[in-house]
């Protein structure tokens, strides 16, 4: 797949996310080591083609570095490394989902490296169930929900973007 084709696909995804935010979609789903995850679509700033970020000295191994996004410095986290799932490979389908969380006095932004974006989905009548078990992912989960024949783990954007938690719990 050429980078031009991939760039066009990412542009189409960004347009779909923008359109869906104004409608009733709930989540952006993505793949991570053959598992399905999702984030609230309202927290998605944009989807970017994978590009190597500028490294940050002495940062945790899952913090790949930072990118400049329209004048804002955005840290880039590899979720595979953060959650210790699968081997970290950067393929043509690899993208960065840039999330924004509006806190008490500030906006936080962070890019999450994922294997591929899957779809924009609605929760519909599916019940959000509590997460099961204990893993490195559990503190970041809102719950799980059925999406077709698969189960999607819904991630909490505020917890994902909690820099204190990241620095306190380096893997």
């Amino acid at each position: 797949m050429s980078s031009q084709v991939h760039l066009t696909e990412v542009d189409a995804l960004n347009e779909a996310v923008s359109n869906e935010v104004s409608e009733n979609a709930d989540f952006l789903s993505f793949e991570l080591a053959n598992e399905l995850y999702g984030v609230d679509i309202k927290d998605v700033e944009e989807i970017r083609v994978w590009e190597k970020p500028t490294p940050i000295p002495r940062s945790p191994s899952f913090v790949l570095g930072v990118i400049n996004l329209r004048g804002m410095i955005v840290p880039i986290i590899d979720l595979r490394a953060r959650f210790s799932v699968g081997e970290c490979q950067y393929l043509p389908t690899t993208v960065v989902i840039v999330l924004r969380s509006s806190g008490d006095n500030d906006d936080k932004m962070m890019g999450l490296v994922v294997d591929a974006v899957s779809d924009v989905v609605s929760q519909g009548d599916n019940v959000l169930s509590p997460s099961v078990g204990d893993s490195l992912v559990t503190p970041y989960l809102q719950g799980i929900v059925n999406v077709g024949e698969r189960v999607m783990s819904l991630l909490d954007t505020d917890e994902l973007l909690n820099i204190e938690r990241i620095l306190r719990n380096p893997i």
Side-chain angles (χ1 to χ4, degrees):
M1 175 185 304
S2 74
S3 62
Q4 181 62 35
V5 170
H6 187 59
L7 184 59
T8 304
E9 290 172 358
V10 169
D11 289 340
L13 283 168
N14 278 316
E15 186 174 330
V17 167
S18 295
N19 291 340
E20 295 292 343
V21 166
S22 62
E23 296 175 10
N24 290 328
D26 296 311
F27 308 105
L28 177 67
S29 65
F30 58 89
E31 297 281 335
L32 196 62
N34 295 317
E35 296 176 18
L36 189 63
Y37 291 86
V39 291
D40 190 325
I41 196 147
K42 294 176 187 79
D43 296 333
V44 176
E45 181 72 15
E46 71 178 66
I47 301 165
R48 299 177 57 91
V49 173
W50 163 250
E51 62 182 274
K52 188 170 173 56
T54 303
I56 302 172
R58 296 189 309 261
S59 63
S61 61
F62 57 87
V63 178
L64 301 180
V66 295
I67 60 170
N68 182 336
L69 181 64
R70 295 181 293 281
M72 291 187 66
I73 301 301
V74 178
I76 303 298
I77 304 287
D78 190 318
L79 278 189
R80 290 168 292 194
R82 179 66 179 123
F83 295 161
S84 294
V85 294
E87 187 176 322
C88 300
Q89 295 179 354
Y90 303 103
L91 305 171
T93 58
T94 302
V95 295
V96 176
I97 300 173
V98 179
L99 299 179
R100 177 186 297 269
S101 174
S102 298
D104 297 330
N105 297 325
D106 62 339
D107 276 355
K108 297 176 187 171
M109 288 180 65
M110 186 176 295
L112 306 176
V113 179
V114 301
D115 295 338
V117 171
S118 296
D119 204 356
V120 177
V121 297
S122 174
Q123 183 174 340
D125 294 333
N126 294 325
V127 176
L128 181 62
S129 302
S131 59
V132 179
D134 188 26
S135 71
L136 292 173
V137 181
T138 305
Y140 303 96
L141 289 178
Q142 287 183 334
I144 55 177
V145 67
N146 287 325
V147 176
E149 297 295 315
R150 297 182 73 186
V151 174
M152 180 170 66
S153 299
L154 299 177
L155 298 173
D156 183 327
T157 303
D158 290 332
E159 286 301 315
L160 283 171
L161 275 58
N162 182 333
I163 195 71
E164 290 80 21
R165 177 186 289 273
I166 291 170
L167 296 176
R168 185 175 58 239
N169 297 321
I171 296 173

